[in-house]
Amino acid sequence: MAFVIWAVLCVVCGWGIFADACCWGRVKNIKQPILRKATRFGLDLLLLAIVASPLYYEFPNYGASEVVTFEGDQVTERPFGAFAWEFGGAFSNIPNNVVITSGVTLSVDDPKVRTLRYTIGARITDPTLFFAKKERRHMFALDGQVDPVDTKQLVASSAGNTNKTVKGEIADLVAYRMLEFNNIFSNGLAMLNNPLNPVQQDAFRLLIECFINANLKQDGIAVKTSPFTIE
């Protein structure tokens, strides 16, 4: 898809240039051998330009990611995509949603041990803040990781992982705060015992979203949580 619009523009322009000489674009109808060869060479050159040109159109992956472009410190969202240079590094893609799960094992007075599990959905709400760190502008948008990814998986895969993506960067930042949340609020989370209680669900949502969003505001990331479950 990246070459489609650029290819169409080139073909249309090429057709207009050769239409008169080619009897509506049919090279074999040209009577002069030299002109026929020149026209065929021109069409071959046009095809090469379409394939090899560094200018192409970057489409958004609707439902999965959106295109943003960079001009100095300015970051602009392009919901319909944008023309870009192959080697310019002047654009990136931002995933629409990154899903991370986590769980915290709670000791209660019964004595019992239970695990509270929850899922976080994260997205970039302010691309200017997120891409203020210039190294993020050169990351690929998505990786092969299937959503949702658990914080345990992220911890296990973090060592030696140098192939960062925008999606992976978001997941790492959010997972870090999720693990901090699990540690800081573990005593309070032990009071949650009924996932069907809307008051408990509202209290949990308010607590975790306020904590993580406050810590990730400087990165332009916001999260929403799903209802917790008890295992």
PDB file of all heavy atoms in Angstrom, residues 116-150:
ATOM      1  N   LEU A 116      -5.132 -10.834  42.807  1.00  0.00           N
ATOM      2  CA  LEU A 116      -5.961  -9.841  42.126  1.00  0.00           C
ATOM      3  C   LEU A 116      -5.337  -9.571  40.765  1.00  0.00           C
ATOM      4  O   LEU A 116      -4.154  -9.250  40.672  1.00  0.00           O
ATOM      5  CB  LEU A 116      -6.034  -8.556  42.951  1.00  0.00           C
ATOM      6  CG  LEU A 116      -6.892  -7.414  42.396  1.00  0.00           C
ATOM      7  CD1 LEU A 116      -7.566  -6.656  43.537  1.00  0.00           C
ATOM      8  CD2 LEU A 116      -6.073  -6.443  41.546  1.00  0.00           C
ATOM      9  N   ARG A 117      -6.134  -9.727  39.718  1.00  0.00           N
ATOM     10  CA  ARG A 117      -5.632  -9.514  38.360  1.00  0.00           C
ATOM     11  C   ARG A 117      -6.426  -8.406  37.683  1.00  0.00           C
ATOM     12  O   ARG A 117      -7.621  -8.228  37.934  1.00  0.00           O
ATOM     13  CB  ARG A 117      -5.711 -10.794  37.528  1.00  0.00           C
ATOM     14  CG  ARG A 117      -4.827 -11.922  38.057  1.00  0.00           C
ATOM     15  CD  ARG A 117      -4.566 -12.963  36.985  1.00  0.00           C
ATOM     16  NE  ARG A 117      -3.875 -12.406  35.833  1.00  0.00           N
ATOM     17  CZ  ARG A 117      -2.553 -12.213  35.778  1.00  0.00           C
ATOM     18  NH1 ARG A 117      -1.782 -12.541  36.797  1.00  0.00           N
ATOM     19  NH2 ARG A 117      -2.005 -11.704  34.693  1.00  0.00           N
ATOM     20  N   TYR A 118      -5.735  -7.679  36.795  1.00  0.00           N
ATOM     21  CA  TYR A 118      -6.382  -6.584  36.079  1.00  0.00           C
ATOM     22  C   TYR A 118      -5.670  -6.351  34.750  1.00  0.00           C
ATOM     23  O   TYR A 118      -4.548  -6.821  34.535  1.00  0.00           O
ATOM     24  CB  TYR A 118      -6.387  -5.305  36.922  1.00  0.00           C
ATOM     25  CG  TYR A 118      -5.007  -4.802  37.300  1.00  0.00           C
ATOM     26  CD1 TYR A 118      -4.352  -3.839  36.532  1.00  0.00           C
ATOM     27  CD2 TYR A 118      -4.351  -5.292  38.433  1.00  0.00           C
ATOM     28  CE1 TYR A 118      -3.094  -3.381  36.877  1.00  0.00           C
ATOM     29  CE2 TYR A 118      -3.092  -4.836  38.784  1.00  0.00           C
ATOM     30  CZ  TYR A 118      -2.470  -3.880  38.007  1.00  0.00           C
ATOM     31  OH  TYR A 118      -1.222  -3.427  38.341  1.00  0.00           O
ATOM     32  N   THR A 119      -6.326  -5.632  33.872  1.00  0.00           N
ATOM     33  CA  THR A 119      -5.791  -5.346  32.538  1.00  0.00           C
ATOM     34  C   THR A 119      -5.834  -3.845  32.290  1.00  0.00           C
ATOM     35  O   THR A 119      -6.835  -3.186  32.591  1.00  0.00           O
ATOM     36  CB  THR A 119      -6.611  -6.069  31.452  1.00  0.00           C
ATOM     37  OG1 THR A 119      -6.553  -7.477  31.686  1.00  0.00           O
ATOM     38  CG2 THR A 119      -6.063  -5.766  30.058  1.00  0.00           C
ATOM     39  N   ILE A 120      -4.744  -3.338  31.731  1.00  0.00           N
ATOM     40  CA  ILE A 120      -4.620  -1.910  31.430  1.00  0.00           C
ATOM     41  C   ILE A 120      -4.558  -1.723  29.912  1.00  0.00           C
ATOM     42  O   ILE A 120      -3.849  -2.449  29.214  1.00  0.00           O
ATOM     43  CB  ILE A 120      -3.338  -1.323  32.061  1.00  0.00           C
ATOM     44  CG1 ILE A 120      -3.467  -1.238  33.581  1.00  0.00           C
ATOM     45  CG2 ILE A 120      -3.008   0.047  31.471  1.00  0.00           C
ATOM     46  CD1 ILE A 120      -4.377  -0.153  34.081  1.00  0.00           C
ATOM     47  N   GLY A 121      -5.301  -0.753  29.415  1.00  0.00           N
ATOM     48  CA  GLY A 121      -5.187  -0.329  28.022  1.00  0.00           C
ATOM     49  C   GLY A 121      -4.515   1.028  27.971  1.00  0.00           C
ATOM     50  O   GLY A 121      -4.949   1.964  28.656  1.00  0.00           O
ATOM     51  N   ALA A 122      -3.442   1.153  27.205  1.00  0.00           N
ATOM     52  CA  ALA A 122      -2.663   2.398  27.172  1.00  0.00           C
ATOM     53  C   ALA A 122      -2.566   2.926  25.751  1.00  0.00           C
ATOM     54  O   ALA A 122      -2.518   2.156  24.787  1.00  0.00           O
ATOM     55  CB  ALA A 122      -1.259   2.163  27.728  1.00  0.00           C
ATOM     56  N   ARG A 123      -2.520   4.247  25.625  1.00  0.00           N
ATOM     57  CA  ARG A 123      -2.351   4.868  24.316  1.00  0.00           C
ATOM     58  C   ARG A 123      -1.650   6.209  24.475  1.00  0.00           C
ATOM     59  O   ARG A 123      -1.638   6.797  25.564  1.00  0.00           O
ATOM     60  CB  ARG A 123      -3.690   5.051  23.606  1.00  0.00           C
ATOM     61  CG  ARG A 123      -4.658   5.978  24.304  1.00  0.00           C
ATOM     62  CD  ARG A 123      -6.029   5.958  23.628  1.00  0.00           C
ATOM     63  NE  ARG A 123      -5.934   6.347  22.236  1.00  0.00           N
ATOM     64  CZ  ARG A 123      -6.083   7.601  21.810  1.00  0.00           C
ATOM     65  NH1 ARG A 123      -6.308   8.571  22.679  1.00  0.00           N
ATOM     66  NH2 ARG A 123      -5.999   7.889  20.528  1.00  0.00           N
ATOM     67  N   ILE A 124      -1.076   6.681  23.377  1.00  0.00           N
ATOM     68  CA  ILE A 124      -0.443   8.000  23.361  1.00  0.00           C
ATOM     69  C   ILE A 124      -1.526   9.049  23.158  1.00  0.00           C
ATOM     70  O   ILE A 124      -2.227   9.042  22.146  1.00  0.00           O
ATOM     71  CB  ILE A 124       0.604   8.091  22.241  1.00  0.00           C
ATOM     72  CG1 ILE A 124       1.744   7.099  22.491  1.00  0.00           C
ATOM     73  CG2 ILE A 124       1.165   9.508  22.135  1.00  0.00           C
ATOM     74  CD1 ILE A 124       2.734   7.007  21.351  1.00  0.00           C
ATOM     75  N   THR A 125      -1.670   9.944  24.112  1.00  0.00           N
ATOM     76  CA  THR A 125      -2.656  11.018  23.999  1.00  0.00           C
ATOM     77  C   THR A 125      -2.016  12.344  23.600  1.00  0.00           C
ATOM     78  O   THR A 125      -2.711  13.247  23.139  1.00  0.00           O
ATOM     79  CB  THR A 125      -3.408  11.203  25.328  1.00  0.00           C
ATOM     80  OG1 THR A 125      -2.453  11.410  26.383  1.00  0.00           O
ATOM     81  CG2 THR A 125      -4.246   9.972  25.644  1.00  0.00           C
ATOM     82  N   ASP A 126      -0.711  12.461  23.797  1.00  0.00           N
ATOM     83  CA  ASP A 126       0.008  13.679  23.419  1.00  0.00           C
ATOM     84  C   ASP A 126       1.296  13.284  22.696  1.00  0.00           C
ATOM     85  O   ASP A 126       2.338  13.094  23.328  1.00  0.00           O
ATOM     86  CB  ASP A 126       0.329  14.523  24.656  1.00  0.00           C
ATOM     87  CG  ASP A 126       0.819  15.920  24.297  1.00  0.00           C
ATOM     88  OD1 ASP A 126       1.432  16.076  23.218  1.00  0.00           O
ATOM     89  OD2 ASP A 126       0.597  16.859  25.085  1.00  0.00           O
ATOM     90  N   PRO A 127       1.243  13.131  21.356  1.00  0.00           N
ATOM     91  CA  PRO A 127       2.433  12.709  20.610  1.00  0.00           C
ATOM     92  C   PRO A 127       3.622  13.652  20.777  1.00  0.00           C
ATOM     93  O   PRO A 127       4.768  13.211  20.722  1.00  0.00           O
ATOM     94  CB  PRO A 127       1.941  12.689  19.158  1.00  0.00           C
ATOM     95  CG  PRO A 127       0.464  12.515  19.247  1.00  0.00           C
ATOM     96  CD  PRO A 127       0.060  13.261  20.481  1.00  0.00           C
ATOM     97  N   THR A 128       3.358  14.940  20.977  1.00  0.00           N
ATOM     98  CA  THR A 128       4.461  15.891  21.139  1.00  0.00           C
ATOM     99  C   THR A 128       5.292  15.553  22.371  1.00  0.00           C
ATOM    100  O   THR A 128       6.530  15.581  22.335  1.00  0.00           O
ATOM    101  CB  THR A 128       3.923  17.327  21.239  1.00  0.00           C
ATOM    102  OG1 THR A 128       3.215  17.648  20.037  1.00  0.00           O
ATOM    103  CG2 THR A 128       5.064  18.322  21.422  1.00  0.00           C
ATOM    104  N   LEU A 129       4.634  15.222  23.471  1.00  0.00           N
ATOM    105  CA  LEU A 129       5.358  14.851  24.685  1.00  0.00           C
ATOM    106  C   LEU A 129       6.069  13.514  24.506  1.00  0.00           C
ATOM    107  O   LEU A 129       7.222  13.358  24.914  1.00  0.00           O
ATOM    108  CB  LEU A 129       4.387  14.772  25.870  1.00  0.00           C
ATOM    109  CG  LEU A 129       3.868  16.098  26.424  1.00  0.00           C
ATOM    110  CD1 LEU A 129       2.852  15.849  27.536  1.00  0.00           C
ATOM    111  CD2 LEU A 129       5.011  16.963  26.940  1.00  0.00           C
ATOM    112  N   PHE A 130       5.395  12.549  23.903  1.00  0.00           N
ATOM    113  CA  PHE A 130       6.001  11.224  23.752  1.00  0.00           C
ATOM    114  C   PHE A 130       7.242  11.285  22.872  1.00  0.00           C
ATOM    115  O   PHE A 130       8.276  10.691  23.192  1.00  0.00           O
ATOM    116  CB  PHE A 130       4.989  10.242  23.160  1.00  0.00           C
ATOM    117  CG  PHE A 130       5.528   8.843  23.025  1.00  0.00           C
ATOM    118  CD1 PHE A 130       5.530   7.982  24.110  1.00  0.00           C
ATOM    119  CD2 PHE A 130       6.046   8.385  21.820  1.00  0.00           C
ATOM    120  CE1 PHE A 130       6.035   6.692  23.995  1.00  0.00           C
ATOM    121  CE2 PHE A 130       6.555   7.106  21.698  1.00  0.00           C
ATOM    122  CZ  PHE A 130       6.545   6.251  22.789  1.00  0.00           C
ATOM    123  N   PHE A 131       7.158  12.007  21.757  1.00  0.00           N
ATOM    124  CA  PHE A 131       8.277  12.054  20.814  1.00  0.00           C
ATOM    125  C   PHE A 131       9.251  13.190  21.111  1.00  0.00           C
ATOM    126  O   PHE A 131      10.114  13.486  20.287  1.00  0.00           O
ATOM    127  CB  PHE A 131       7.751  12.168  19.387  1.00  0.00           C
ATOM    128  CG  PHE A 131       7.106  10.905  18.882  1.00  0.00           C
ATOM    129  CD1 PHE A 131       5.732  10.818  18.762  1.00  0.00           C
ATOM    130  CD2 PHE A 131       7.872   9.802  18.554  1.00  0.00           C
ATOM    131  CE1 PHE A 131       5.126   9.656  18.303  1.00  0.00           C
ATOM    132  CE2 PHE A 131       7.283   8.632  18.098  1.00  0.00           C
ATOM    133  CZ  PHE A 131       5.905   8.557  17.974  1.00  0.00           C
ATOM    134  N   ALA A 132       9.109  13.821  22.280  1.00  0.00           N
ATOM    135  CA  ALA A 132      10.105  14.810  22.691  1.00  0.00           C
ATOM    136  C   ALA A 132      11.468  14.143  22.854  1.00  0.00           C
ATOM    137  O   ALA A 132      12.512  14.775  22.659  1.00  0.00           O
ATOM    138  CB  ALA A 132       9.674  15.480  23.994  1.00  0.00           C
ATOM    139  N   LYS A 133      11.458  12.857  23.210  1.00  0.00           N
ATOM    140  CA  LYS A 133      12.695  12.075  23.215  1.00  0.00           C
ATOM    141  C   LYS A 133      12.944  11.613  21.783  1.00  0.00           C
ATOM    142  O   LYS A 133      12.233  10.751  21.261  1.00  0.00           O
ATOM    143  CB  LYS A 133      12.572  10.880  24.165  1.00  0.00           C
ATOM    144  CG  LYS A 133      12.488  11.291  25.628  1.00  0.00           C
ATOM    145  CD  LYS A 133      12.525  10.077  26.547  1.00  0.00           C
ATOM    146  CE  LYS A 133      12.533  10.504  28.012  1.00  0.00           C
ATOM    147  NZ  LYS A 133      12.589   9.333  28.923  1.00  0.00           N
ATOM    148  N   LYS A 134      13.932  12.198  21.146  1.00  0.00           N
ATOM    149  CA  LYS A 134      14.132  12.021  19.708  1.00  0.00           C
ATOM    150  C   LYS A 134      14.386  10.569  19.307  1.00  0.00           C
ATOM    151  O   LYS A 134      14.062  10.172  18.183  1.00  0.00           O
ATOM    152  CB  LYS A 134      15.309  12.900  19.245  1.00  0.00           C
ATOM    153  CG  LYS A 134      15.106  14.397  19.508  1.00  0.00           C
ATOM    154  CD  LYS A 134      13.933  14.945  18.731  1.00  0.00           C
ATOM    155  CE  LYS A 134      13.672  16.421  19.033  1.00  0.00           C
ATOM    156  NZ  LYS A 134      14.764  17.306  18.659  1.00  0.00           N
ATOM    157  N   GLU A 135      14.953   9.758  20.215  1.00  0.00           N
ATOM    158  CA  GLU A 135      15.235   8.369  19.839  1.00  0.00           C
ATOM    159  C   GLU A 135      13.951   7.588  19.563  1.00  0.00           C
ATOM    160  O   GLU A 135      13.963   6.593  18.831  1.00  0.00           O
ATOM    161  CB  GLU A 135      16.045   7.664  20.932  1.00  0.00           C
ATOM    162  CG  GLU A 135      15.368   7.543  22.284  1.00  0.00           C
ATOM    163  CD  GLU A 135      15.636   8.729  23.195  1.00  0.00           C
ATOM    164  OE1 GLU A 135      16.062   9.784  22.678  1.00  0.00           O
ATOM    165  OE2 GLU A 135      15.424   8.585  24.413  1.00  0.00           O
ATOM    166  N   ARG A 136      12.834   8.027  20.114  1.00  0.00           N
ATOM    167  CA  ARG A 136      11.566   7.336  19.879  1.00  0.00           C
ATOM    168  C   ARG A 136      11.056   7.556  18.456  1.00  0.00           C
ATOM    169  O   ARG A 136      10.213   6.801  17.979  1.00  0.00           O
ATOM    170  CB  ARG A 136      10.518   7.814  20.884  1.00  0.00           C
ATOM    171  CG  ARG A 136      10.803   7.385  22.314  1.00  0.00           C
ATOM    172  CD  ARG A 136       9.821   8.003  23.287  1.00  0.00           C
ATOM    173  NE  ARG A 136      10.072   7.552  24.662  1.00  0.00           N
ATOM    174  CZ  ARG A 136       9.490   8.073  25.733  1.00  0.00           C
ATOM    175  NH1 ARG A 136       8.620   9.062  25.596  1.00  0.00           N
ATOM    176  NH2 ARG A 136       9.771   7.610  26.940  1.00  0.00           N
ATOM    177  N   ARG A 137      11.564   8.580  17.787  1.00  0.00           N
ATOM    178  CA  ARG A 137      11.117   8.874  16.429  1.00  0.00           C
ATOM    179  C   ARG A 137      11.649   7.870  15.411  1.00  0.00           C
ATOM    180  O   ARG A 137      11.164   7.816  14.284  1.00  0.00           O
ATOM    181  CB  ARG A 137      11.552  10.289  16.032  1.00  0.00           C
ATOM    182  CG  ARG A 137      10.990  11.370  16.940  1.00  0.00           C
ATOM    183  CD  ARG A 137      11.340  12.755  16.441  1.00  0.00           C
ATOM    184  NE  ARG A 137      10.764  13.801  17.289  1.00  0.00           N
ATOM    185  CZ  ARG A 137      10.734  15.085  16.979  1.00  0.00           C
ATOM    186  NH1 ARG A 137      11.268  15.484  15.824  1.00  0.00           N
ATOM    187  NH2 ARG A 137      10.192  15.968  17.791  1.00  0.00           N
ATOM    188  N   HIS A 138      12.651   7.109  15.795  1.00  0.00           N
ATOM    189  CA  HIS A 138      13.276   6.163  14.867  1.00  0.00           C
ATOM    190  C   HIS A 138      12.879   4.716  15.165  1.00  0.00           C
ATOM    191  O   HIS A 138      13.460   3.791  14.616  1.00  0.00           O
ATOM    192  CB  HIS A 138      14.797   6.316  14.929  1.00  0.00           C
ATOM    193  CG  HIS A 138      15.269   7.704  14.624  1.00  0.00           C
ATOM    194  ND1 HIS A 138      15.271   8.221  13.346  1.00  0.00           N
ATOM    195  CD2 HIS A 138      15.714   8.702  15.434  1.00  0.00           C
ATOM    196  CE1 HIS A 138      15.718   9.470  13.378  1.00  0.00           C
ATOM    197  NE2 HIS A 138      15.993   9.783  14.633  1.00  0.00           N
ATOM    198  N   MET A 139      11.881   4.542  16.026  1.00  0.00           N
ATOM    199  CA  MET A 139      11.420   3.195  16.353  1.00  0.00           C
ATOM    200  C   MET A 139      10.335   2.753  15.372  1.00  0.00           C
ATOM    201  O   MET A 139       9.558   3.571  14.884  1.00  0.00           O
ATOM    202  CB  MET A 139      10.829   3.164  17.773  1.00  0.00           C
ATOM    203  CG  MET A 139      11.807   3.451  18.885  1.00  0.00           C
ATOM    204  SD  MET A 139      10.946   3.489  20.491  1.00  0.00           S
ATOM    205  CE  MET A 139      12.332   3.772  21.596  1.00  0.00           C
ATOM    206  N   PHE A 140      10.291   1.450  15.099  1.00  0.00           N
ATOM    207  CA  PHE A 140       9.152   0.908  14.374  1.00  0.00           C
ATOM    208  C   PHE A 140       7.919   1.013  15.261  1.00  0.00           C
ATOM    209  O   PHE A 140       8.018   1.086  16.485  1.00  0.00           O
ATOM    210  CB  PHE A 140       9.396  -0.545  13.979  1.00  0.00           C
ATOM    211  CG  PHE A 140      10.407  -0.706  12.879  1.00  0.00           C
ATOM    212  CD1 PHE A 140      11.676  -1.190  13.158  1.00  0.00           C
ATOM    213  CD2 PHE A 140      10.089  -0.362  11.577  1.00  0.00           C
ATOM    214  CE1 PHE A 140      12.618  -1.338  12.151  1.00  0.00           C
ATOM    215  CE2 PHE A 140      11.021  -0.502  10.559  1.00  0.00           C
ATOM    216  CZ  PHE A 140      12.285  -0.991  10.844  1.00  0.00           C
ATOM    217  N   ALA A 141       6.743   1.001  14.629  1.00  0.00           N
ATOM    218  CA  ALA A 141       5.513   1.198  15.399  1.00  0.00           C
ATOM    219  C   ALA A 141       5.158  -0.019  16.238  1.00  0.00           C
ATOM    220  O   ALA A 141       4.954   0.077  17.447  1.00  0.00           O
ATOM    221  CB  ALA A 141       4.354   1.545  14.464  1.00  0.00           C
ATOM    222  N   LEU A 142       5.077  -1.178  15.588  1.00  0.00           N
ATOM    223  CA  LEU A 142       4.557  -2.370  16.245  1.00  0.00           C
ATOM    224  C   LEU A 142       5.600  -3.471  16.256  1.00  0.00           C
ATOM    225  O   LEU A 142       6.563  -3.453  15.493  1.00  0.00           O
ATOM    226  CB  LEU A 142       3.291  -2.860  15.530  1.00  0.00           C
ATOM    227  CG  LEU A 142       2.174  -1.822  15.342  1.00  0.00           C
ATOM    228  CD1 LEU A 142       1.042  -2.414  14.523  1.00  0.00           C
ATOM    229  CD2 LEU A 142       1.657  -1.336  16.689  1.00  0.00           C
ATOM    230  N   ASP A 143       5.397  -4.444  17.137  1.00  0.00           N
ATOM    231  CA  ASP A 143       6.255  -5.621  17.172  1.00  0.00           C
ATOM    232  C   ASP A 143       5.383  -6.863  17.021  1.00  0.00           C
ATOM    233  O   ASP A 143       4.182  -6.772  16.793  1.00  0.00           O
ATOM    234  CB  ASP A 143       7.074  -5.672  18.476  1.00  0.00           C
ATOM    235  CG  ASP A 143       6.188  -5.530  19.712  1.00  0.00           C
ATOM    236  OD1 ASP A 143       5.019  -5.966  19.655  1.00  0.00           O
ATOM    237  OD2 ASP A 143       6.667  -4.992  20.730  1.00  0.00           O
ATOM    238  N   GLY A 144       6.001  -8.008  17.151  1.00  0.00           N
ATOM    239  CA  GLY A 144       5.263  -9.250  16.972  1.00  0.00           C
ATOM    240  C   GLY A 144       4.547  -9.727  18.218  1.00  0.00           C
ATOM    241  O   GLY A 144       3.940 -10.801  18.212  1.00  0.00           O
ATOM    242  N   GLN A 145       4.593  -8.942  19.284  1.00  0.00           N
ATOM    243  CA  GLN A 145       3.975  -9.343  20.540  1.00  0.00           C
ATOM    244  C   GLN A 145       2.454  -9.283  20.418  1.00  0.00           C
ATOM    245  O   GLN A 145       1.888  -8.287  19.976  1.00  0.00           O
ATOM    246  CB  GLN A 145       4.430  -8.415  21.670  1.00  0.00           C
ATOM    247  CG  GLN A 145       4.037  -8.874  23.057  1.00  0.00           C
ATOM    248  CD  GLN A 145       4.899 -10.017  23.543  1.00  0.00           C
ATOM    249  OE1 GLN A 145       6.112  -9.933  23.570  1.00  0.00           O
ATOM    250  NE2 GLN A 145       4.259 -11.104  23.913  1.00  0.00           N
ATOM    251  N   VAL A 146       1.800 -10.361  20.807  1.00  0.00           N
ATOM    252  CA  VAL A 146       0.340 -10.429  20.737  1.00  0.00           C
ATOM    253  C   VAL A 146      -0.253  -9.872  22.024  1.00  0.00           C
ATOM    254  O   VAL A 146       0.174 -10.231  23.126  1.00  0.00           O
ATOM    255  CB  VAL A 146      -0.128 -11.881  20.520  1.00  0.00           C
ATOM    256  CG1 VAL A 146      -1.654 -11.952  20.482  1.00  0.00           C
ATOM    257  CG2 VAL A 146       0.461 -12.435  19.229  1.00  0.00           C
ATOM    258  N   ASP A 147      -1.239  -8.973  21.884  1.00  0.00           N
ATOM    259  CA  ASP A 147      -1.923  -8.428  23.060  1.00  0.00           C
ATOM    260  C   ASP A 147      -2.907  -9.449  23.617  1.00  0.00           C
ATOM    261  O   ASP A 147      -3.507 -10.207  22.852  1.00  0.00           O
ATOM    262  CB  ASP A 147      -2.674  -7.149  22.681  1.00  0.00           C
ATOM    263  CG  ASP A 147      -1.737  -5.967  22.465  1.00  0.00           C
ATOM    264  OD1 ASP A 147      -0.613  -6.005  22.996  1.00  0.00           O
ATOM    265  OD2 ASP A 147      -2.131  -5.024  21.765  1.00  0.00           O
ATOM    266  N   PRO A 148      -3.123  -9.464  24.933  1.00  0.00           N
ATOM    267  CA  PRO A 148      -2.387  -8.659  25.914  1.00  0.00           C
ATOM    268  C   PRO A 148      -1.075  -9.324  26.319  1.00  0.00           C
ATOM    269  O   PRO A 148      -0.940 -10.541  26.230  1.00  0.00           O
ATOM    270  CB  PRO A 148      -3.359  -8.619  27.094  1.00  0.00           C
ATOM    271  CG  PRO A 148      -4.094  -9.920  27.010  1.00  0.00           C
ATOM    272  CD  PRO A 148      -4.232 -10.225  25.545  1.00  0.00           C
ATOM    273  N   VAL A 149      -0.135  -8.517  26.765  1.00  0.00           N
ATOM    274  CA  VAL A 149       1.131  -9.027  27.271  1.00  0.00           C
ATOM    275  C   VAL A 149       1.150  -8.815  28.781  1.00  0.00           C
ATOM    276  O   VAL A 149       0.656  -7.804  29.281  1.00  0.00           O
ATOM    277  CB  VAL A 149       2.323  -8.318  26.596  1.00  0.00           C
ATOM    278  CG1 VAL A 149       2.278  -6.821  26.834  1.00  0.00           C
ATOM    279  CG2 VAL A 149       3.643  -8.888  27.085  1.00  0.00           C
ATOM    280  N   ASP A 150       1.673  -9.789  29.509  1.00  0.00           N
ATOM    281  CA  ASP A 150       1.688  -9.701  30.966  1.00  0.00           C
ATOM    282  C   ASP A 150       2.989  -9.068  31.445  1.00  0.00           C
ATOM    283  O   ASP A 150       4.029  -9.165  30.781  1.00  0.00           O
ATOM    284  CB  ASP A 150       1.531 -11.095  31.578  1.00  0.00           C
ATOM    285  CG  ASP A 150       1.183 -11.031  33.057  1.00  0.00           C
ATOM    286  OD1 ASP A 150      -0.002 -10.838  33.378  1.00  0.00           O
ATOM    287  OD2 ASP A 150       2.104 -11.154  33.885  1.00  0.00           O
TER     288      ASP A 150
END
